[in-house]
Amino acid sequence: MGRKRGRPRNARPGAASVPTATRPARKNWFLRQSGGVQTLIVLGVTALVIGGHFLLWGAILPAVGAAVGRVPVVSTVAGWLFGGGAFMAWGVAAINHDTAKPETRKRLHVVAWVWTAIAVQLFPTGYADGVSLPVDFWAGVYSGAYGLILSPVALFALMGCWALFLKLTKRKQELSHQATGWICVGYATLLLVWGSTLLRM
């Protein structure tokens, strides 16, 4: 006969297994700061964005426009890069998200965030409207600026179309990183086409 197994010697009668406690999610750097520090950070970033806006429109864009304004195609692409390039950068980062090495993925995200910070400063204010730029370069710049403003609308429309597609096909699937990346690339390309054609009419 086989040996009858009993309760382990160290086990207590009626003892239940205690679930392992999970560690709470660690807050990011900003949330770990005190309220006063967070306020100073927000004020500092706001001041940098406003100052960067005047610097970009008052000095950088006119200088770049003067340098490339004589070549229509190059001029439009150069202007588009300031805003449309941010969407292209996010597209490249998303497409390579699953295949790139962690260090490469981190660098792509840094580039995308820096480019986004530049694009945000393209917001077409009254001061920006008063800056004189070559027509082709102006079209490229404003295609990126308006593309940034319209991006929430484009995102809302995209999510609506995706939800309708899932409903019609009876699927439950989220957009992959690669699909999101190609959408960003397509949107950036659409802005370039818009700046090269319709925006100048």
Side-chain angles (χ1 to χ4, degrees):
M1 294 180 63
R3 185 177 179 181
K4 186 177 180 180
R5 294 186 178 182
R7 188 172 57 249
R9 293 181 179 180
N10 296 331
R12 292 179 298 175
S17 59
V18 180
T20 305
T22 57
R23 293 183 178 180
R26 187 178 181 183
K27 295 181 179 179
N28 60 42
W29 175 83
F30 181 77
L31 294 178
R32 293 200 303 268
Q33 308 304 315
S34 63
V37 174
Q38 290 181 359
T39 302
L40 290 176
I41 292 174
V42 172
L43 291 176
V45 171
T46 303
L48 286 175
V49 171
I50 295 174
H53 172 79
F54 285 101
L55 176 63
L56 184 65
W57 282 99
I60 298 176
L61 290 179
V64 176
V68 300
R70 296 182 180 180
V71 186
V73 176
V74 175
S75 182
T76 303
V77 173
W80 164 85
L81 279 174
F82 286 91
F87 294 102
M88 191 66 73
W90 279 113
V92 172
I95 291 172
N96 295 279
H97 184 274
D98 297 328
T99 57
K101 296 179 180 179
E103 191 65 27
T104 302
R105 187 164 60 242
K106 183 178 180 180
R107 291 175 181 174
L108 290 174
H109 285 172
V110 169
V111 171
W113 277 115
V114 171
W115 217 318
T116 302
I118 296 173
V120 168
Q121 299 172 48
L122 284 176
F123 196 87
T125 60
Y127 175 78
D129 291 338
V131 176
S132 179
L133 298 173
V135 175
D136 297 306
F137 183 71
W138 171 90
V141 170
Y142 268 81
S143 67
Y146 287 133
L148 187 68
I149 296 173
L150 295 174
S151 58
V153 179
L155 178 61
F156 181 79
L158 172 65
M159 297 309 296
C161 293
W162 181 250
L164 180 61
F165 171 76
L166 294 180
K167 185 176 181 179
L168 293 176
T169 57
K170 297 181 180 180
R171 296 181 180 180
K172 293 183 179 180
Q173 183 179 358
E174 295 182 356
L175 280 173
S176 64
H177 288 110
Q178 283 197 343
T180 304
W182 284 115
I183 289 171
C184 290
V185 171
Y187 185 68
T189 305
L190 183 64
L191 294 178
L192 178 59
V193 173
W194 183 39
S196 302
T197 55
L198 299 178
L199 192 58
R200 292 185 293 179
M201 293 182 178

